[in-house]
Amino acid sequence: MSYKKQDAMEQFENWSRGYDRSILQRLLFGPSHARLAQELPVAQPVRVLDVGCGTGQFLERLLCEGRAAQVWGLDLCGGMVRQGASRLRRFNGSAHVVQADGEAIPFRDNTFDVVTCSNCFHHFPNQERAVEEMYRVLKPAGRLMIIDGYRDGLWGRFIYDFCVVTVEGPVKHASARRFRELFARAGFVDVWQEAKLGLAPFILTVGVACKPMAGRVEPEPTEQSHWSPPLRQAA
Ligand SMILES: C[S@@+](CC[C@H](N)C(=O)[O-])C[C@H]1O[C@@H](n2cnc3c(N)ncnc32)[C@H](O)[C@@H]1O
């Protein structure tokens, strides 16, 4: 049995209202966001895309801490996008949220300085395609940072390959090695990783997009069907 995007949409549609109150916020999501944010130095005017942004908590943190100048959030699930849009409304003009598939990102090539993806990667049925898309929308020398449950080791396998799969269905947490392979195959260099052990272990993988320099590109949507209005136009 394989995991389908429809499964993710249904699961997160149901979860979107209570998501911010989940125990996982303290165990996994909060600590992983804190670690990820450290990789974005304060006061650098970067343009960030967060793939699988959920309710927008990570992007809110980046803006509040001055770690990004402009942020875009992308999520498959309409409920998550609505929660995210509502949370980020006060940053009008600096924050945008769109409903889209991370395996078909509706932005032009070479658009973002940084692409992040937290606690979402195991939901992609085609993980190779997702990393290729993230590479495509990054500017030359832009950075990709993916953080997700660390399933290497006995505890990691129990938590992620058994417990999470029992609850969420056949999602796939990538091993550290698999992440390195995916990054290298897509064209990332200077790849490094850091694992954080504990009750809910997670792994951060960072790589630099190695591609020819291009002209300046504004983050406009392409003509793909998943595009929805940016935050500033939301009701
Ligand atoms: C566990 S939540 C993580 C949300 C957020 N990044 C965080 O760390 O709190 C996983 C998110 O991935 C989204 N998602 C799942 N499959 C996706 C896909 N193919 N494209 C974009 N988002 C997806 C879900 O809707 C959900 O919001």
Side-chain angles (χ1 to χ4, degrees):
M1 195 172 66
S2 63
Y3 186 73
K4 307 214 167 40
K5 288 177 194 165
Q6 188 60 30
D7 300 333
M9 285 188 90
E10 285 166 15
Q11 177 191 340
F12 286 104
E13 204 60 59
N14 293 332
W15 200 11
S16 58
R17 280 176 190 272
Y19 184 79
D20 291 348
R21 295 187 299 276
S22 163
I23 179 74
L24 288 174
Q25 295 296 342
R26 273 197 288 148
L27 280 177
L28 177 61
F29 303 152
S32 66
H33 293 172
R35 178 62 194 90
L36 199 52
Q38 284 173 9
E39 292 307 313
L40 286 147
V42 174
Q44 285 199 2
V46 287
R47 184 185 280 167
V48 177
L49 171 68
D50 190 32
V51 176
C53 64
T55 59
Q57 295 180 90
F58 177 65
L59 294 178
E60 180 182 42
R61 175 190 283 256
L62 292 188
L63 289 169
C64 286
E65 294 178 357
R67 295 179 189 275
Q70 285 185 305
V71 299
W72 274 257
L74 173 160
D75 202 282
L76 189 64
C77 164
M80 289 297 201
V81 168
R82 284 190 292 280
Q83 299 283 333
S86 158
R87 160 169 277 120
L88 298 171
R89 184 164 286 131
R90 68 191 164 109
F91 300 104
N92 191 21
S94 301
H96 316 262
V97 183
V98 297
Q99 185 173 7
D101 181 358
E103 291 179 16
I105 298 177
F107 291 101
R108 296 187 199 288
D109 301 359
N110 307 328
T111 299
F112 296 97
D113 302 294
V114 175
V115 172
T116 56
C117 180
S118 56
N119 309 302
C120 167
F121 196 73
H122 56 283
H123 289 287
F124 292 119
N126 188 341
Q127 297 181 334
E128 194 167 351
R129 175 85 186 133
V131 176
E132 283 168 4
E133 277 292 89
M134 294 171 193
Y135 174 88
R136 181 183 65 73
V137 298
L138 272 169
K139 294 176 186 175
R143 281 181 302 155
L144 173 61
M145 308 178 186
I146 300 182
I147 208 158
D148 206 4
Y150 181 46
R151 54 79 67 193
D152 295 358
L154 268 184
W155 180 248
R157 277 202 267 286
F158 173 68
I159 293 286
Y160 297 113
D161 290 357
F162 177 71
C163 300
V164 174
V165 165
T166 303
V167 175
E168 295 193 329
V171 294
K172 203 154 178 240
H173 284 85
S175 65
R177 182 178 169 176
R178 174 80 177 139
F179 271 121
R180 291 196 300 275
E181 283 169 5
L182 289 170
F183 271 55
R185 209 175 290 164
F188 289 96
V189 295
D190 296 337
V191 176
W192 60 270
Q193 296 180 296
E194 182 186 293
K196 174 91 170 69
L197 304 180
L199 207 55
F202 55 81
I203 181 162
L204 169 66
T205 306
V206 179
V208 176
C210 180
K211 51 163 84 171
M213 294 305 282
R216 185 180 155 81
V217 181
E218 291 305 316
E220 287 173 13
T222 51
E223 295 299 315
Q224 294 182 21
S225 58
H226 285 304
W227 171 254
S228 66
L231 171 60
R232 59 179 175 275
Q233 292 173 12

